Amino acid sequence: MQSSYAETGQAARILADGGLVVFPTETVYGLGANALDPQAVNRVFVVKGRPQDNPLIVHLADPGQVGRVAAEISPLCQRLLAEFAPGPLTLVLPVRDEIPRSVTAGLDTVAVRIPGHPIAHALLVAVDLPVVAPSANRSGEPSPTTVDMARSSLGDGPDFYLDGGPCEVGLESTVLRVVENEVFILRPGAISESDILSRLPDVTVHAGGAVNGSGGAGHDSRPPSNGATGAVRSPGVRHRHYQPRAKVLLWERTPELARLIPDGERDRERTVVIMPDAASSRPDVHLHVDEVIVRTYTSVEDYARNLYAWFAESDRLGAERILAHFPAAAGIGAAVRDRLSRSSGGAGAGLRDR
Ligand code: TXA
Ligand code: MG
């Protein structure tokens, strides 16, 4: 059953006392802790099994609070906040000294986000503190888009779970770093390159992180270095991410689908196929596999919303492989492609011989 607003008050008290609370956002569920409490922040790393060098996103109730954690907000960042906050956007800004080093993994920047989900907002208003919230999953796994996915990943590690039903976006926020008049997309999400350009036509956007078939490695568009620390630009890039237990193979056009299954004897591996609705009735979609489970999507937004739930379902069903359609890059498609590429262990692993 979904949580009531009364429960956000209880959850806020748990956060203020140093506890961990799983809560819904419009992107994915987060594992929240008081960002100003180093012990609570350390527990987040322990409960997730997260490498200490991967910094956290700090969540705030409204754009007016960004100055609590950021030392400086450039005019372009102010404009981005005015256009896209609250929403599925994260901005990387110079960090204030009061923020524990574990939050930023020692970088001189902090990632900040103002979620639009009403329960997240109510929680942040009630607690009136900056709240770190990585996705509420064990490190390396796909992010949870329902409270049950979070619970089956983290068990009784957190002190409290808030249920907001399924997440509307389904993929993690767009992470942006701004340098003068240039915007670097460090992690693609629901707010796309064209969304930014249509609202802020005078800026330059670098979207190099998204996979485009040329072997891009993910969230590693290239802004200038983080400064004197010499630390890497988008630390999460190095780590295993978004991976279900099944192996993920990617395809673009239906004839490639059959080629992903090796020739020979009938295949016994339990297989999940993710495909556009329109392709599912095509006569050439015929796999020589005993057990096929087909999941279809009606739009790329629908794909984004369901991707991680399908990954979780595949694991529950004991599927050994997922043959996932690699959608066009427009809009949130760039983010779907990014997560698929990473979950398959590299840039377009199944597309190598095209
Ligand atoms: O949608 C979201 O952003 C969700 C919800 C819960 O808000 N949170 C989320 O957090 O996805 P997490 O921890 O799973 O991902 C944070 C990403 C990582 O890729 C991390 O490397 C990057 O943000 N990040 C954090 N601080 C950074 C910084 N100072 N500079 C560059 N990248 C940073
Ligand atoms: Mg995560």
Side-chain angles (χ1 to χ4, degrees):
M1 212 179 64
Q2 292 200 16
S3 299
S4 65
Y5 286 96
E7 279 185 85
T8 61
Q10 188 185 349
R13 285 190 293 280
I14 291 168
L15 285 178
D17 287 344
L20 306 191
V21 171
V22 170
F23 65 96
T25 81
E26 68 274 47
T27 58
V28 299
Y29 276 74
L31 173 63
N34 177 1
L36 303 178
D37 178 343
Q39 272 182 323
V41 172
N42 283 339
R43 258 187 83 203
V44 168
F45 282 92
V46 172
V47 165
K48 275 186 63 83
R50 183 176 178 108
Q52 295 280 345
D53 63 354
N54 195 3
L56 304 174
I57 298 174
V58 176
H59 296 62
L60 297 163
D62 67 72
Q65 296 182 344
V66 173
R68 293 186 182 187
V69 297
E72 194 189 305
I73 312 164
S74 71
L76 178 48
C77 287
Q78 296 281 17
R79 290 172 67 201
L80 285 162
L81 288 170
E83 294 292 343
F84 297 110
L89 174 80
T90 294
L91 282 182
V92 174
L93 298 166
V95 67
R96 284 180 73 114
D97 292 341
E98 300 90 307
I99 304 304
R101 290 179 63 79
S102 51
V103 170
T104 61
L107 299 177
D108 50 16
T109 53
V110 62
V112 178
R113 160 157 148 72
I114 295 118
H117 192 291
I119 292 180
H121 180 72
L123 176 65
L124 291 165
V125 168
V127 73
D128 196 23
L129 286 166
V131 171
V132 291
S135 51
N137 52 279
R138 295 278 305 168
S139 195
E141 294 175 0
S143 300
T145 53
T146 64
V147 79
D148 287 343
M149 286 167 70
R151 213 180 252 119
S152 70
S153 187
L154 297 179
D156 55 12
D159 300 297
F160 199 78
Y161 285 86
L162 284 169
D163 184 358
C167 298
E168 176 143 0
V169 174
L171 296 180
E172 305 80 357
S173 60
T174 305
V175 180
L176 300 181
R177 174 110 193 251
V178 167
V179 180
E180 285 156 22
N181 219 36
E182 299 181 47
V183 175
F184 293 83
I185 301 181
L186 302 185
R187 177 174 74 181
I191 295 173
S192 66
E193 177 181 12
S194 59
D195 291 333
I196 299 167
L197 285 171
S198 70
R199 306 273 192 99
L200 306 172
D202 56 312
V203 307
T204 305
V205 181
H206 301 273
V211 174
N212 51 21
S214 62
H219 324 154
D220 64 347
S221 188
R222 302 258 159 204
S225 96
N226 271 323
T229 62
V232 289
R233 298 166 180 96
S234 192
V237 171
R238 281 196 304 276
H239 304 293
R240 197 181 93 92
H241 260 315
Y242 319 119
Q243 289 187 354
R245 281 194 293 279
K247 74 178 169 283
V248 177
L249 301 170
L250 309 179
W251 58 279
E252 279 187 279
R253 280 176 271 281
T254 46
E256 296 161 23
L257 194 48
R259 276 188 253 130
L260 291 174
I261 311 281
D263 284 340
E265 305 257 312
R266 259 193 102 83
D267 195 287
R268 293 186 192 286
E269 283 189 36
R270 186 171 289 179
T271 302
V272 170
V273 181
I274 302 174
M275 60 169 62
D277 207 17
S280 60
S281 56
R282 287 175 59 126
D284 57 342
V285 177
H286 199 77
L287 292 175
H288 291 281
V289 184
D290 283 348
E291 287 187 85
V292 189
I293 299 126
V294 177
R295 291 290 171 262
T296 61
Y297 66 88
T298 53
S299 64
V300 75
E301 290 77 19
D302 188 43
Y303 195 172
R305 190 156 43 238
N306 287 294
L307 177 65
Y308 291 151
W310 286 332
F311 278 1
E313 183 189 21
S314 300
D315 284 348
R316 263 198 323 278
L317 295 170
E320 285 155 283
R321 66 181 159 220
I322 300 170
L323 309 183
H325 184 239
F326 201 57
I332 200 172
V336 176
R337 289 162 70 102
D338 173 71
R339 306 311 189 273
L340 284 172
S341 298
R342 293 165 151 276
S343 64
S344 69
L351 304 174
R352 250 189 315 256
D353 39 27
R354 289 196 61 249

